[in-house]
Amino acid sequence: MTFAYQVLIHTPVWVWILLAYLVWQGVQAMQPRTTPIWRALIVPVVFIVWGISRIGFGPQDTAWPLVAWIAAALALLPLGVLTPQPFDVDHNTGEIIRPGSAFALIRNVVVFSLQYAVGVISAIDASDRALAIIVGRAISGATAGYFIGSTIALLVAYRRKSAEK
């Protein structure tokens, strides 16, 4: 219990703010909504940046962490492309019209939890734990790959639907 308490109190405040934002976005996504395209890209961009930021983090004694990151990113990129959330486009305003779904809330919490675990492992000084470093890079790569794929799918679908006037 002491370990968990220490982890929680040493977590930077911005992490809790980010979690609150992601949960709030997920809860909002459970209701039908209309949003501008730039707003629909905020959560994917946050996770892409978070995933990419881990590439150079920690010791770089071997290429395996980078290989794990790239392999995981390439593995999940197609999943992101293939699992776009359905939407329509309001041709007058250019905004996205989405039905409600719990998918975003579940996805946000799962991805946040995985990235948080990677951050905790890194903060504990996992420098002598090569497997932990490789798994951490793979999770970060998978996160970035998935959200890059979903962003590509969203932008392609938005462009296609906007042109259907």
Side-chain angles (χ1 to χ4, degrees):
M1 187 65 162
T2 303
F3 174 75
Y5 175 72
Q6 290 298 317
V7 167
L8 293 176
I9 66 168
H10 287 94
T11 298
V13 173
W14 71 264
V15 174
W16 301 121
I17 294 169
L18 177 60
L19 176 60
Y21 176 75
L22 294 170
V23 169
W24 175 65
Q25 286 292 304
V27 169
Q28 281 192 322
M30 294 175 75
Q31 300 298 318
R33 68 208 181 283
T34 302
T35 60
I37 185 71
W38 66 267
R39 196 153 168 227
L41 295 172
I42 292 174
V43 170
V45 167
V46 165
F47 280 127
I48 290 168
V49 169
W50 200 358
I52 290 173
S53 71
R54 295 270 179 213
I55 291 175
F57 191 75
Q60 305 294 323
D61 297 340
T62 70
W64 287 113
L66 180 59
V67 169
W69 191 97
I70 291 169
L74 291 174
L76 261 66
L77 188 133
L79 180 64
V81 170
L82 296 174
T83 58
Q85 296 300 300
F87 68 90
D88 287 318
V89 173
D90 180 335
H91 295 292
N92 295 325
T93 64
E95 293 184 322
I96 296 174
I97 304 165
R98 288 190 165 168
S101 169
F103 177 79
L105 176 61
I106 295 166
R107 179 201 62 207
N108 290 356
V109 170
V110 167
V111 173
F112 175 88
S113 299
L114 290 170
Q115 286 287 27
Y116 183 77
V118 167
V120 169
I121 290 168
S122 299
I124 295 173
D125 187 20
S127 61
D128 60 339
R129 299 183 193 122
L131 182 60
I133 293 169
I134 291 171
V135 169
R137 293 309 186 293
I139 289 170
S140 293
T143 298
Y146 172 82
F147 281 100
I148 289 169
S150 68
T151 300
I152 290 168
L154 175 67
L155 292 173
V156 167
Y158 179 78
R159 185 173 180 192
R160 183 176 31 82
K161 289 180 185 232
S162 293
E164 290 175 356
K165 288 185 186 182

